Amino acid sequence: MTKLFYSPGSCALGIHVLLEEIGAPFELAKVNLAAREQFSADYVKVNPKSKVPALMRDDGSVLTEWPAIATWLALNHPDKGLLSLEKEQLARTLEAVDYVCASLHMQGFTRVWKPEAFSPNEADHGAVKARGQEIIDKGLIWFDGELASKAYLGGAQMSIADAALFYLEFWVAERLKQPLPAHVGAHYARMRARPAVAKALADEGLA
Ligand SMILES: N[C@@H](CCC(=O)N[C@@H](CS)C(=O)NCC(=O)O)C(=O)O
């Protein structure tokens, strides 16, 4: 059976949401990042990158990297409409996913949460965190504009891009305890109201 390796409230939450939206059976395998289980010999056998999410498919092979996992899941369940293959829609979906995963997460949140990854010098950490916050704020403004006249990033239908934005919204609202811009906040509330999202949050102990 498909197995998602996750840590509660991590970026794997977005993949967990997609699995719940799809509704096919899957198992959860918790990797406690706080206890550094991502570096354990057992987990390194699953994902030598020591990161979550990782998705073990039915044939035992493991897929890593948020955009790849989300794309693979959406393509395997085309009836769920999580990834339109219409040229403009597809390009815009990937644009949003990449902005969340590669820029806001990797460049923004990593600076805020792990400034030591950007500078070994503790005296720099305040400036590194401030730069991370700037990247996050700029991203939220961009997403706010995108959502000004739409329920979801692609229009009326939720896509993998919304699941990516959701984990980021969760971090801003629940971890940083910062307000979300109006349209992004409405999107966050809309996502939380979806039964699949509520179930993923509850199953991660985050409800
Ligand atoms: N590029 C990876 C990033 C995944 C990632 O950074 N995951 C974090 C949790 S949100 C992680 O596993 N961190 C553990 C660590 O860095 O030691 C992806 O897109 O899936």
Side-chain angles (χ1 to χ4, degrees):
M1 192 192 294
T2 303
K3 191 191 274 192
L4 173 66
F5 292 84
Y6 81 107
S7 178
S10 71
C11 58
L13 175 60
I15 300 296
H16 191 176
V17 161
L18 292 172
L19 284 163
E20 288 294 349
E21 290 285 347
I22 288 164
F26 68 94
E27 287 172 43
L28 284 172
K30 190 165 164 174
V31 181
N32 186 341
L33 298 183
R36 299 177 67 78
E37 280 176 11
Q38 70 272 37
F39 302 111
S40 70
D42 279 352
Y43 189 62
V44 167
K45 276 187 217 143
V46 174
N47 183 5
K49 298 174 182 171
S50 291
K51 302 277 181 193
V52 293
L55 191 78
M56 189 174 281
R57 279 91 56 94
D58 290 348
D59 66 356
S61 65
V62 174
L63 190 60
T64 62
E65 303 299 331
W66 204 103
I69 298 171
T71 301
W72 186 86
L73 285 172
L75 290 178
N76 276 282
H77 300 276
D79 53 310
K80 303 295 173 188
L82 292 165
L83 184 61
S84 167
L85 298 184
E86 188 280 318
K87 269 191 284 187
E88 180 65 14
Q89 283 271 333
L90 177 60
R92 291 293 178 193
T93 304
L94 299 180
E95 176 187 45
V97 167
D98 195 64
Y99 195 27
V100 168
C101 297
S103 295
L104 301 194
H105 176 181
M106 290 295 124
Q107 298 295 330
F109 276 93
T110 310
R111 276 187 171 79
V112 170
W113 283 334
K114 282 192 202 166
E116 66 280 6
F118 289 84
S119 170
N121 185 354
E122 226 178 305
D124 295 338
H125 290 180
V128 170
K129 285 185 189 182
R131 176 68 191 123
Q133 185 69 53
E134 259 176 31
I135 293 169
I136 295 167
D137 292 345
K138 199 177 177 77
L140 290 175
I141 291 168
W142 186 79
F143 278 108
D144 206 50
E146 289 297 300
L147 288 165
S149 56
K150 291 177 282 188
Y152 296 101
L153 287 163
Q157 167 79 30
M158 183 200 144
S159 77
I160 62 169
D162 298 284
L165 180 57
F166 174 73
Y167 83 70
L168 208 102
E169 292 166 344
F170 179 84
W171 286 352
V172 175
E174 319 300 336
R175 297 281 192 255
L176 299 183
K177 306 271 182 212
Q178 292 173 359
L180 291 164
H183 302 299
V184 174
H187 177 266
Y188 181 51
R190 203 170 290 126
M191 288 294 290
R192 285 195 73 124
R194 295 178 72 93
V197 175
K199 179 153 186 353
L201 286 170
D203 289 352
E204 295 197 14
L206 303 167

